[in-house]
Amino acid sequence: MSDFDESTWTLAAVRPTHLSRPRMRVQVLAGPDAGKLHDFDERVRVGKRALADLVLTDPKVSSLHCEIVSRSELTVRDLGSKNGTHVGNVRVLEAIVPPGDSIRLGDTVLRVQPLGEHVEVPLAESFDFHGIIGASPPIREITARLAVLAKSDATVLVQGETGTGKERVAEALHRAGPRAAGPLVIVDCGSLPSTLIEAELCGYERGAFTGAVTASAGAFERADGGTLFLDEIGELPLDMQPKLLRLLESRTVRRLGGTRTTPVDVRVIAATNRDLPVEVQRGRFREDLYFRLAVVTLVLPPLRERRDDIPLLAIHLLREMGVDPKSCLTLQSIDLLQRYDWPGNVRELRNHLMRAAALLEPVRSPGPAASAPRPAPAGAIDLAEPLRVVKQRMIDELERAYIGGLLQECDGRIAEVAKRAGMDRMSIYRIIDRLKLRPAE
């Protein structure tokens, strides 16, 4: 008999209603912009183009140079800059910033300090917002914002790793808003051949091209009065991006081979697993299209950052399959599921539960449990070196072993390495280049 008790994870009384987030201040200590300040409460991006939150004039700073994140610790991550990001005197890809330490980009020196103030972020009361399940603060912060956004027609850009539920967000925004009675049309920009994307979006008249034996309405026309979801927008070819920009700005379409222009009334939601500002910096995505799509940006947390939601998700997903959760979940199985890192996120969890239910097997962990790295023996550490230097060296060794091992197992397929590591491909390329594991593709 299962020892699983669903009420353990569904008691609202133990959940906070607000999240208190400390306010931080970035101060430019040296460089052309000395004295400039920028306040933030979670994340700030620094660079010399409008893509950044803190815009600098230092010519040695890249368009989008680095991001600083304030959570349990202050961290800085380089975003593929040319001249690098330094904490103290150490060039870093990603590192914890010790209190009082400076961050150097080119000739600019930054320091981040707490303001002694807090921002109260509202969290949704419900653990289920039109199929988006979760009781953890990260997901309830998202669903609280979705409840507000659903009432508007604002264009929304949803970013997140593969399998985090970006399509579910689009469905929830559609179903919770005034367009719920209208159509929800989904276009997967990553699966369509580049030659067919324009025809799919705009439609075509009979005889417009070989094989066009009948006229067909495009996605914009089919979504009239409802919502158009552009999935994997980061995969859209560059030559198609100005055409999409015109469609978004004019809200009118003309079918291929046609002469009549048709106005359309659609709400647009786009999604990608790419970091679009970084793609803009690399010349792979148009800046004007990015700003047109990112009226409101939502970043979905990966499952490993909200492990507390795994029991609720498992219950919900099993019920969707018509399976009684008590028949295959135990306290031990829940513990195993929460220890795993889920590189494929909620999609991987769903597939794992479906496999167990289909085979009438107890739910187990699909792989090794996540665990903290074993501390290095004291003799392997040079105590004369600063902590940040030792820490970066250990991170390099861990990344060399982990990414190097994945490259061998995946036969060098970067997309597969990124999926299993729970990272984007450009981050994998940067690690490969930095550690010289193999030539970048």
Side-chain angles (χ1 to χ4, degrees), residues 17-85:
T17 58
H18 286 77
L19 180 66
S20 184
R21 188 173 287 149
R23 291 280 288 169
M24 308 293 287
R25 171 168 289 173
V26 185
Q27 180 180 4
V28 182
L29 299 179
D33 303 283
K36 195 169 188 177
L37 305 172
H38 183 86
D39 297 346
F40 70 103
D41 57 76
E42 183 179 20
R43 182 189 309 265
V44 61
R45 287 189 160 186
V46 184
K48 64 181 182 183
R49 282 173 64 178
L51 292 164
D53 304 300
L54 174 57
V55 180
L56 302 175
T57 59
D58 186 345
K60 294 182 181 179
V61 169
S62 295
S63 300
L64 199 60
H65 199 105
C66 70
E67 70 174 4
I68 302 166
V69 180
S70 172
R71 287 180 180 161
S72 57
E73 295 178 298
L74 190 69
T75 61
V76 62
R77 181 168 74 97
D78 188 84
L79 296 175
S81 67
K82 290 183 179 179
N83 294 315
T85 300

Side-chain angles (χ1 to χ4, degrees), residues 172-386:
L173 281 172
H174 176 73
R175 290 164 55 190
R179 293 176 177 267
L184 171 63
V185 176
I186 299 173
V187 177
D188 187 347
C189 300
S191 65
L192 286 171
S194 58
T195 53
L196 295 181
I197 290 178
E198 187 172 5
E200 170 61 21
L201 292 176
C202 300
Y204 53 86
E205 298 291 353
R206 179 181 178 183
F209 50 84
T210 303
V213 295
T214 60
S216 176
F220 271 86
E221 283 188 74
R222 300 197 306 272
D224 189 31
T227 303
L228 176 61
F229 177 48
L230 301 173
D231 199 9
E232 300 299 345
I233 192 68
E235 310 301 323
L236 192 70
L238 265 174
D239 60 352
M240 186 61 207
Q241 291 178 21
K243 298 175 183 178
L244 175 59
L245 180 62
R246 285 196 296 272
L247 289 170
L248 294 173
E249 290 180 340
S250 68
R251 288 298 202 272
T252 59
V253 295
R254 186 173 66 188
R255 295 182 185 182
L256 297 181
T259 57
R260 182 169 58 91
T261 299
T262 304
V264 291
D265 172 26
V266 297
R267 182 188 194 169
V268 176
I269 301 170
T272 180
N273 60 10
R274 294 176 179 265
D275 189 330
L276 284 193
V278 173
E279 295 296 295
V280 170
Q281 178 175 242
R282 296 179 180 276
R284 296 170 183 163
F285 203 84
R286 289 178 62 104
E287 185 172 1
D288 49 5
L289 179 57
Y290 166 72
F291 282 119
R292 188 64 186 80
L293 292 169
V295 176
V296 179
T297 300
L298 294 174
V299 180
L300 301 187
L303 191 53
R304 63 183 174 276
E305 292 182 5
R306 55 182 191 110
R307 297 177 193 271
D308 289 348
D309 288 336
I310 289 176
L312 283 176
L313 281 167
I315 294 167
H316 176 77
L317 294 171
L318 286 168
R319 286 209 170 119
E320 280 191 334
M321 301 171 203
V323 177
D324 181 0
K326 290 186 178 180
S327 67
C328 51
L329 289 179
T330 64
L331 290 177
Q332 182 183 18
S333 65
I334 286 291
D335 181 62
L336 290 173
L337 294 179
Q338 287 183 298
R339 288 174 179 269
Y340 182 60
D341 266 345
W342 301 105
N345 293 294
V346 180
R347 182 179 297 134
E348 184 183 3
L349 175 62
R350 180 188 293 110
N351 292 342
H352 180 67
L353 293 171
M354 187 179 296
R355 187 181 306 113
L359 296 175
L360 302 177
E361 293 179 347
V363 174
R364 303 186 181 92
S365 173
S371 58
R374 293 181 181 177
I381 296 176
D382 185 352
L383 298 180
E385 291 184 315

Side-chain angles (χ1 to χ4, degrees), residues 72-127:
S72 57
E73 295 178 298
L74 190 69
T75 61
V76 62
R77 181 168 74 97
D78 188 84
L79 296 175
S81 67
K82 290 183 179 179
N83 294 315
T85 300
H86 297 75
V87 176
N89 295 318
V90 180
R91 182 168 179 169
V92 300
L93 178 67
E94 185 170 358
I96 296 170
V97 182
D101 270 28
S102 60
I103 302 169
R104 181 167 58 83
L105 338 169
D107 292 328
T108 297
V109 179
L110 308 175
R111 178 168 293 164
V112 185
Q113 294 179 318
L115 285 173
E117 305 170 0
H118 285 76
V119 174
E120 297 296 317
V121 180
L123 304 178
E125 293 183 6
S126 172
F127 299 165

